[in-house]
Amino acid sequence: MVIGLTGGIGSGKSTILKCFKSYGIPVYIADDEAKALMNRSKVIKRKLIHLFGEKAYENNVLNRPYLSSKIFSDKTLLAKMNAIVHPKVASHFKRWLNKQDAAYVIKEVAIIFENNLQSQYDYIITVVADEDLRIQRVMKRDNVSKEKVKSIINNQWSDADKVEQSDFVIVNNDLEDAKKQALKIHNTLLKKLKH
């Protein structure tokens, strides 16, 4: 089974993934793999330079601030970039999946619903947290302003919309409580596999 794990910025997806890893569940983080492929794949590099110009890479490394500034306000450029990167990530995930032998795997993707990818997963877990807490977490983690975090949150689907389409929800306002919720979901998924 492939379980999708999603949630808005600052909801604490990484923390929840650590819980599932501790139960022996293989975890695939799509964003991390996409970044790695954008630096590793000659095909992706060539296409991104064609799309964004030479500034897309600095010293042969992806110039993320430059790309972010380009795609943040330009949905067309973002879609073009995703069309280059997402298929490569998808085929990388397939190869990774074939090597796993756990009861299930978790694929963490920030934008499952935004990209209408629900059908690719057996179940979807959405991680949510109070907005103020999310803002604090991201400001601390990324050293950015409250306004910057709020603009990112406003660009993403609302928690309510995600929750409505999810099979499981983890409320990650309190770590110990969130860990209990993750364990309960893990046990539920194992039961579903037996039926």
Side-chain angles (χ1 to χ4, degrees):
M1 278 200 310
V2 178
I3 311 302
L5 185 131
T6 192
I9 189 168
S11 59
K13 295 185 293 292
S14 305
T15 306
I16 299 304
L17 285 175
K18 282 180 193 150
C19 295
F20 284 99
K21 271 186 182 170
S22 74
Y23 315 142
I25 300 304
V27 165
Y28 185 95
I29 303 170
D31 275 358
D32 290 357
E33 296 302 336
K35 284 169 196 156
L37 285 168
M38 287 162 95
N39 279 311
R40 220 174 37 227
S41 162
K42 288 183 174 69
V43 176
I44 292 178
K45 267 187 192 175
R46 195 173 59 243
K47 289 181 176 177
L48 289 180
I49 288 169
H50 181 75
L51 183 61
F52 294 102
E54 293 296 328
K55 280 188 180 169
Y57 289 84
E58 268 183 348
N59 303 322
N60 223 11
V61 176
L62 188 69
N63 184 349
R64 287 182 47 213
Y66 175 75
L67 256 60
S68 296
S69 72
K70 289 287 186 196
I71 59 178
F72 190 72
S73 55
D74 189 335
K75 296 272 187 266
T76 315
L77 263 183
L78 175 63
K80 284 179 180 174
M81 184 182 88
N82 286 342
I84 293 168
V85 180
H86 287 177
K88 291 280 188 200
V89 175
S91 53
H92 184 268
F93 173 71
K94 275 194 183 120
R95 288 195 303 274
W96 176 86
L97 185 61
N98 289 331
K99 295 175 190 160
Q100 308 308 319
D101 63 353
Y104 66 91
V105 301
I106 290 189
K107 183 179 183 185
E108 191 246 293
V109 181
I111 47 179
I112 289 176
F113 301 116
E114 290 87 334
N115 286 337
N116 204 19
L117 303 172
Q118 300 88 305
S119 62
Q120 294 181 11
Y121 304 96
D122 295 292
Y123 296 98
I124 296 175
I125 303 168
T126 294
V127 183
V128 299
D130 291 343
E131 189 169 304
D132 288 343
L133 185 58
R134 290 170 60 192
I135 290 168
Q136 292 306 316
R137 285 174 181 164
V138 180
M139 283 170 65
K140 193 174 158 188
R141 182 188 74 196
D142 298 348
N143 194 20
V144 289
S145 70
K146 186 174 186 171
E147 290 66 38
K148 171 83 173 152
V149 183
K150 276 192 106 97
S151 74
I152 293 170
I153 288 174
N154 293 336
N155 248 346
Q156 296 181 330
W157 268 37
S158 73
D159 281 351
D161 288 337
K162 288 178 184 171
V163 165
E164 199 176 293
Q165 296 192 46
S166 301
D167 300 290
F168 302 100
V169 176
I170 295 176
V171 180
N172 188 13
N173 292 328
D174 172 78
L175 182 58
E176 289 313 307
D177 188 43
K179 282 179 178 174
K180 285 178 192 153
Q181 296 171 63
L183 183 59
K184 192 176 170 190
I185 292 169
H186 172 65
N187 290 327
T188 302
L189 289 170
L190 293 179
K191 277 190 197 124
K192 286 183 183 293
L193 278 166
K194 287 183 182 140
H195 292 298

